[in-house]
Amino acid sequence: MTTMEFQAAVLEHKDRIHSYARGILRDPEEAKDVAQECLVRLWRHRERVEAGAGCRSWLLRSAHNLCIDRIRRKSSRPETSRDDDADEPTDGRPGPERLAASTEVGGRLERALLALDHRDRAIVLLREVEGLSYEEIAQTLGLKLGTLKATLHRSREKLRIALVRAEVTP
Amino acid sequence: MTCEEIRRLCHEAHDGELPGGLPEPARAHIASCASCRELSDDLEALTKALRALSRVPLPPDALDAVWRETIHAERSGLSGLARPWRLAAAAVLATALSTGTLYYVLAPAPPPQPSAVELARASAQAEMVLGYTARALAATRNATADRVLASKVSPAVRGTSTTHPSRRP
């Protein structure tokens, strides 16, 4: 990957990586750090990473691993303490997540998504938001295809049922 | 087909994992089963809602930090040399250093310097050899000139040529 390709990749994927990290970590500052570190890592490994779709997979896999590292490091902290302040960016302004969550559908969907464990949430985000194929997700997360499919379908059912129960599904 | 099988197929079709889309028996089932039809309809809405929820731009200060730690750091750090050239320069430097070190460690000691007497004797011998050589060259030159004059030049000129002072050794 050349310097020009690196610059293009950063501009193309920075929001994707940041959003993904935010979805997994639920902490704006940590998500920002992960996205930044992930893009710097891409620079350090640019001679081994192909530009294009391979770069997107590499970045998502790298972001996922960094998120998991942080979750493990913070595993002694209670999960609920992160949830309470997760929606609010540190600058005090409501971010796009907060704005989306301010609608009834967005808010319920957000809560249902946060109720999933981080691996199931990662699968849903990679499939529904990033549009990765089953094989790409399995490679990114190191899962077997059968496990991935079963988990994705089950998680999606949970999200759907949560919305149906709240009578907000369109 | 059971509802469970149909639901699995609905998920896979929604994800584009069934190249031909839902098979005909599944479509027939969905047409007649309200629960499965509801799932099929809801999956699309769910995806749209999730996509609307989750895109958050990276803050500008984080992007600035990325440029600082990557491209700008390289430009300011190594005077703009391209990476292959930097590697080549490093390789040449490393080779030169290692060769020099090896030479210093492994090279034989220099031969002893000659004494003043030996130098004087060698100079005298060299002068003597040079003198013999000069005289031999002059004799050869005179003999060659005489041979040329004997065959090409008239007798009158030949007579003067043998007495020319400049041709004496």
Side-chain angles (χ1 to χ4, degrees):
Chain A
M1 176 182 287
T2 63
T3 301
M4 292 291 284
E5 286 170 336
F6 169 77
Q7 285 177 296
V10 168
L11 295 175
E12 183 182 353
H13 298 299
K14 63 184 176 62
D15 296 344
R16 166 175 289 120
I17 300 305
H18 180 237
S19 302
Y20 179 76
R22 217 172 142 128
I24 300 298
L25 294 170
R26 292 170 286 166
D27 182 319
E29 279 303 308
E30 290 241 45
K32 191 171 83 168
D33 290 347
V34 162
Q36 194 175 312
E37 189 176 345
C38 188
L39 294 168
V40 172
R41 275 189 182 191
L42 175 64
W43 172 256
R44 291 187 190 133
H45 294 91
R46 65 191 183 282
E47 287 174 3
R48 288 190 293 147
V49 182
E50 295 279 331
C55 178
R56 183 186 66 164
S57 296
W58 190 95
L59 282 168
L60 285 169
R61 187 164 55 247
S62 179
H64 181 78
N65 291 337
L66 288 169
C67 288
I68 296 304
D69 286 347
R70 283 175 185 252
I71 288 170
R72 284 181 183 149
R73 280 207 299 270
K74 291 175 72 177
S75 59
S76 57
R77 282 178 58 181
E79 185 86 358
T80 49
S81 68
R82 287 203 304 254
D83 293 347
D84 293 341
D85 56 6
D87 293 339
E88 206 64 59
T90 51
D91 59 6
R93 288 180 287 115
E97 276 177 13
R98 184 71 173 173
L99 291 172
S102 67
T103 67
E104 196 171 8
V105 174
R108 289 178 190 278
L109 189 56
E110 175 92 353
R111 281 192 290 278
L113 192 60
L114 294 181
L116 300 175
D117 73 36
H118 64 79
R119 188 196 69 169
D120 296 358
R121 197 159 60 244
I123 293 172
V124 170
L125 291 174
L126 289 175
R127 174 58 234 162
E128 297 285 24
V129 180
E130 304 307 334
L132 265 60
S133 70
Y134 287 174
E135 280 200 19
E136 286 174 314
I137 298 170
Q139 278 186 340
T140 300
L141 303 183
L143 295 173
K144 289 181 179 173
L145 210 54
T147 308
L148 164 72
K149 284 185 192 179
T151 308
L152 173 62
H153 299 175
R154 192 177 58 244
S155 301
R156 222 158 26 194
E157 288 282 354
K158 282 184 192 171
L159 294 177
R160 175 176 162 268
I161 288 167
L163 294 178
V164 169
R165 282 188 182 157
E167 297 180 346
V168 293
T169 302
Chain B
M1 294 178 107
T2 65
C3 281
E4 191 178 341
E5 289 170 327
I6 297 297
R7 296 170 92 81
R8 182 178 56 78
L9 288 174
C10 281
H11 280 284
E12 291 186 6
H14 174 69
D15 291 329
E17 300 283 338
L18 298 179
L22 278 172
E24 186 50 43
R27 278 192 229 148
H29 177 104
I30 288 168
S32 62
C33 175
S35 171
C36 291
R37 192 165 56 249
E38 205 170 76
L39 169 72
S40 182
D41 294 342
D42 287 350
L43 286 177
E44 193 61 36
L46 182 62
T47 299
K48 279 183 185 169
L50 281 167
R51 286 187 180 170
L53 192 66
S54 298
R55 193 59 89 204
V56 188
L58 181 69
D61 62 318
L63 183 60
D64 289 344
V66 169
W67 298 137
R68 252 194 330 271
E69 289 181 42
T70 57
I71 295 171
H72 295 174
E74 186 181 67
R75 282 179 186 159
S76 62
L78 282 160
S79 64
L81 276 181
R83 193 175 178 83
W85 287 110
R86 285 206 319 276
L87 290 174
V92 167
L93 184 62
T95 306
L97 281 172
S98 58
T99 306
T101 306
L102 275 174
Y103 181 79
Y104 181 78
V105 170
L106 300 176
Q113 294 296 313
S115 67
V117 175
E118 288 170 326
L119 281 173
R121 189 183 301 138
S123 297
Q125 287 172 349
E127 281 174 15
M128 191 171 66
V129 169
L130 284 173
Y132 286 145
T133 306
R135 279 196 288 278
L137 281 172
T140 305
R141 186 181 64 213
N142 289 341
T144 305
D146 288 341
R147 243 191 341 269
V148 170
L149 287 170
S151 59
K152 303 286 183 188
V153 182
S154 69
V157 176
R158 198 187 314 156
T160 59
S161 70
T162 54
T163 58
H164 197 284
S166 67
R167 289 179 50 234
R168 296 296 172 199

